[in-house]
Amino acid sequence: MNKDEYFISLALEEAKKGIGNTSPNPMVGCVIVKKDRVISVGYHKKAGEDHAEIDAMKKLSLEKLKNSTMYVTLEPCCHYGRTPPCVDAIIKNGIKRVVVATKDVDERVAGKGIEALNKAGIETTVGVLENEALKLNSIFFFFKKHKRPYVVLKAALTLDGKIATIDGDSKWISNEEARYFVHKLRLRLKAIAVGKNTILKDKPLLNCRLPDYENKIIDKLVFTNSKDASLFESFAPNDGKNFFIDKNITSSKETFIDFCNKNEIDSILVEGGARVYSWFLENNLVDRIFLFYKPAFTGSDGMDVSSSKGKTLISELEEFNILEAKKLENNVMVELFKGEDICLQV
């Protein structure tokens, strides 16, 4: 590992401090170096707050910043958004060189930040540990590229594909280790999609219960036409938004995507039940699946994982790719994907 790679690796560790809190912005870390010594670090903590570059520069005087080298995991912004352009502050503070892990894909930046720095006489190096930076912000890049949220479906089921008994009992099909993994998914994703019946039967908190992340903001998408605010009463209190997803929003794949884009929902964890699973699958809006199998059989009268009408021919089935299968205590987790095999960093 050369010097640039070493300092970018430190910046990537700074960026990871923002995990779960920066959406719809990316996680970004910054390290400022002078005479081969780190003199400041920073990271983006939350959308609307200082970007990593500003966070790091604010900790130093102008004299200390002059002729230093900045290592940052994403191309500095050059536009006014929730905050002023980072490029202007970098130029103003006399940074001599900027090393960037990867360019931004946001159309407002996309190379323009690097160009602005070069025009100001600042030396730039781009692409240091780029793959690591792309993996860290894979959801951000997906959202910007495809202009729709990245959708993960998770389900706990028995070997005969049932998510509950005939009486609706489903606690607990998955074991403690599997449920812990689901909270890791909740940490990484912006919103949870769930049906009205699941809320009424399970009274879920729909929060992240990992240590130090109990207050992680999660939006809830409740699939229902009743629009009864009492459905939200079981949810753990946080600053996430609660949305009713009615027939107007789900009338087509496009209307749902427009809704998500308007509300800056870059990623969704689909948690059930069967009708909600089916809607996402039927509309080809599932990019990743995590299935947690209990090694037992419910019987034919249990509740199926999907309520979609069955296919008549095997050739009509849309197949997912198997990424991994592993044992979690006495459950088996099967991880599937379709399209891009992006890294979720869970």
Side-chain angles (χ1 to χ4, degrees):
M1 179 178 287
N2 61 37
K3 183 165 59 177
D4 282 352
E5 290 173 339
Y6 172 71
F7 289 123
I8 281 290
S9 71
L10 297 183
L12 286 167
E13 290 305 307
E14 287 296 311
K16 291 174 185 177
K17 294 178 181 179
I19 190 168
N21 295 315
T22 63
S23 177
N25 289 355
M27 291 173 278
V28 183
C30 178
V31 171
I32 299 176
V33 175
K34 200 168 187 178
K35 296 180 181 179
D36 294 335
R37 183 174 67 88
V38 175
I39 58 174
S40 186
V41 298
Y43 72 98
H44 182 45
K45 297 174 178 64
K46 184 180 178 181
E49 296 187 7
D50 287 338
H51 287 188
E53 302 95 317
I54 304 300
D55 185 43
M57 288 189 290
K58 277 186 173 180
K59 300 170 184 176
L60 297 172
S61 66
L62 183 60
E63 182 61 31
K64 288 185 177 180
L65 283 168
K66 190 175 181 181
N67 293 321
S68 63
T69 297
M70 174 180 285
Y71 292 85
V72 63
T73 58
L74 186 68
E75 178 181 6
C77 66
C78 54
H79 66 284
Y80 280 89
R82 290 183 173 92
T83 58
C86 291
V87 163
D88 292 353
I90 292 170
I91 295 170
K92 181 180 177 181
N93 283 303
I95 304 293
K96 182 180 180 181
R97 179 175 180 242
V98 177
V99 180
V100 178
T102 185
K103 287 185 178 180
D104 198 341
V105 294
D106 190 315
E107 295 171 353
R108 298 169 296 179
V109 188
K112 300 183 185 72
I114 301 297
E115 183 179 352
L117 292 173
N118 290 336
K119 283 184 178 179
I122 297 174
E123 179 188 350
T124 59
T125 300
V126 183
V128 178
L129 299 186
E130 183 172 23
N131 287 337
E132 287 83 347
L134 291 172
K135 288 178 180 178
L136 180 64
N137 283 307
S138 54
I139 289 174
F140 169 77
F141 288 112
F142 181 95
F143 185 56
K144 291 297 181 182
K145 177 181 177 181
H146 297 285
K147 302 189 187 314
R148 72 164 179 86
Y150 186 76
V151 177
V152 179
L153 185 153
K154 74 90 182 170
L157 60 164
T158 54
L159 291 177
D160 46 356
K162 309 297 183 179
I163 59 174
T165 67
I166 188 173
D167 293 327
D169 183 34
S170 60
K171 289 188 176 181
W172 292 102
I173 290 178
S174 60
N175 59 31
E176 188 173 342
E177 188 174 350
R179 296 195 296 274
Y180 178 81
F181 187 89
V182 171
H183 284 280
K184 293 170 72 175
L185 291 175
R186 288 181 178 180
L187 173 62
R188 284 295 284 117
L189 304 172
K190 172 74 170 179
I192 293 175
V194 66
K196 178 185 72 174
N197 290 338
T198 298
I199 295 173
L200 293 175
K201 290 176 182 176
D202 297 340
K203 306 293 183 185
L205 293 172
L206 297 187
N207 64 339
C208 178
R209 296 194 282 280
L210 298 180
D212 300 324
Y213 293 102
E214 292 89 345
N215 295 320
K216 191 260 181 180
I217 295 172
I218 301 175
D219 293 342
K220 288 88 173 179
L221 311 181
V222 179
F223 280 61
T224 178
N225 289 308
S226 65
K227 297 191 176 182
D228 182 355
S230 66
L231 288 171
F232 304 145
E233 290 178 355
S234 68
F235 300 163
N238 62 37
D239 294 328
K241 297 178 180 178
N242 298 324
F243 298 100
F244 290 112
I245 308 299
D246 59 21
K247 289 181 179 179
N248 291 323
I249 297 173
T250 59
S251 60
S252 71
K253 175 179 179 177
E254 290 70 28
T255 55
F256 180 76
I257 290 173
D258 287 344
F259 165 83
C260 291
N261 290 343
K262 180 181 177 180
N263 290 284
E264 297 185 312
I265 297 171
D266 62 5
S267 53
I268 301 170
L269 178 60
V270 183
E271 296 215 16
R275 290 182 180 178
V276 179
Y277 291 147
S278 298
W279 187 88
F280 279 94
L281 290 167
E282 289 168 0
N283 284 279
N284 195 27
L285 274 176
V286 177
D287 303 293
R288 196 71 148 256
I289 296 180
F290 291 89
L291 299 177
F292 302 94
Y293 282 97
K294 182 181 185 69
F297 294 89
T298 306
S300 62
D301 55 1
M303 298 177 64
D304 292 318
V305 67
S306 172
S307 62
S308 299
K309 185 178 179 180
K311 303 291 186 182
T312 57
L313 298 173
I314 293 296
S315 59
E316 295 176 337
L317 301 180
E318 293 189 18
E319 191 170 3
F320 282 81
N321 298 300
I322 298 175
L323 186 65
E324 185 179 17
K326 66 179 181 180
K327 183 178 179 182
L328 298 179
E329 294 179 351
N330 203 40
N331 282 178
V332 174
M333 183 183 81
V334 178
E335 185 177 357
L336 312 166
F337 74 95
K338 184 182 290 185
E340 298 178 41
D341 172 22
I342 72 167
C343 180
L344 278 177
Q345 296 281 314
V346 293

